[in-house]
Amino acid sequence: MVVLRHALRLDEVDLAFVGSSKAPWDPPLAPAGFEQARAVSRELQTFEINTIVASPFQRCLETADTIFKSWHKSLNTWHVDCKLCEMLTPRNLNLLDRPVPNGHIQDWMWHGVETEQAVQSAVPDGKVVVDDPRFPAFPESAEEAHARINAVLEDIGNRFQGNILVVAHGEAINRSIVRLMPWTAVIEAKHCCYSVARRTQDADGDWGPWELDVSQLHQVQVLGL
């Protein structure tokens, strides 16, 4: 399983985005972000990915879609799981200096549009299947987000066969490492960084535990290795 952080966001280079956008919590990729996604797609080809699963946030959808289209291979579809979403705090959703919308995030994330329709609008010519359209409650604590991401990574690993690419957020990089090596701490996770975990299957067909391949960490700084 390869866990990849999304590419560069527009709000990181356009300082007016947060103040002017109707959805500051969901910035798209910056133009340079698409270049980053295309560049990392070439590196990821060596993993012979069979399945892509992404967070529903636009930056992750665009990163996953760019990679999917650049490979020109026999993947028919890729997947979206809302449990892979960003840690749902006001800071992470660019809401520190703005009123928090009323109701469940499901109601205001895309201004009342259903998840499936919003995903198709974000990547209109993509071949995407929304596996779980339900968001966690906003806001959530760090502990709640960590437990959620740990669980969804384990679920994805059990749900899909073959080699899996997960496209998500910096916190997913953190959990992909710390859940397997709890004594470590991630101190930097750059855009399009990734971790790699592997597991083996015994003669009876049973899978062993996931193990982090520390030799394959890319653009991630970790204390305790």
Side-chain angles (χ1 to χ4, degrees):
M1 179 188 293
V2 181
V3 179
L4 174 78
R5 188 187 178 200
H6 59 78
L8 181 71
R9 304 189 320 243
L10 181 61
D11 62 317
E12 295 174 291
V13 296
D14 180 358
L15 300 183
F17 175 83
V18 171
S20 61
S21 174
K22 294 181 179 179
W25 48 83
D26 193 23
L29 291 185
F34 288 96
E35 292 300 322
Q36 287 180 336
R38 282 188 283 269
V40 79
S41 73
R42 294 188 286 271
E43 299 178 32
L44 295 175
Q45 282 184 322
T46 61
F47 293 105
E48 299 182 352
I49 297 296
N50 305 105
T51 304
I52 300 173
V53 189
S55 159
F57 279 69
Q58 188 167 350
R59 53 193 179 270
C60 296
L61 297 176
E62 291 176 340
T63 300
D65 193 52
T66 299
I67 292 170
F68 176 82
K69 290 174 180 174
S70 72
W71 281 345
H72 303 294
K73 59 186 295 184
S74 58
L75 292 180
N76 294 321
T77 58
W78 54 278
H79 301 259
V80 168
D81 191 320
C82 287
K83 294 190 296 296
L84 280 172
C85 70
E86 177 68 276
M87 184 190 293
L88 299 180
T89 66
R91 179 179 180 180
N92 287 344
L93 270 60
N94 286 330
L95 288 172
L96 283 178
D97 300 319
R98 293 179 60 136
V100 176
N102 294 322
H104 194 281
I105 186 173
Q106 200 84 36
D107 301 324
W108 50 262
M109 176 70 179
W110 295 295
H111 304 289
V113 175
E114 295 294 331
T115 303
E116 292 86 348
Q117 183 180 346
V119 168
Q120 292 296 338
S121 296
V123 284
D125 55 346
K127 299 179 180 180
V128 190
V129 176
V130 177
D131 293 332
D132 191 339
R134 299 166 297 174
F135 273 84
F138 170 88
E140 65 180 342
S141 67
E143 292 76 14
E144 289 170 331
H146 292 172
R148 164 175 61 82
I149 297 168
N150 287 348
V152 71
L153 290 176
E154 190 67 27
D155 175 64
I156 288 169
N158 293 331
R159 194 154 32 108
F160 296 102
Q161 296 183 350
N163 299 333
I164 305 163
L165 172 64
V166 174
V167 182
H169 306 268
E171 201 56 49
I173 293 290
N174 178 17
R175 301 320 304 167
S176 73
I177 295 168
V178 176
R179 78 186 186 102
L180 301 179
M181 292 186 170
W183 60 89
T184 63
V186 176
I187 59 174
E188 184 178 23
K190 296 183 178 180
H191 296 107
C192 286
C193 67
Y194 57 83
S195 67
V196 180
R198 304 179 189 275
R199 62 180 177 175
T200 56
Q201 192 173 28
D202 64 24
D204 295 325
D206 297 322
W207 289 98
W210 289 101
E211 296 182 356
L212 187 71
D213 186 345
V214 296
S215 70
Q216 294 282 351
L217 288 174
H218 177 75
Q219 299 289 308
V220 187
Q221 292 187 32
V222 183
L223 289 177
L225 292 180

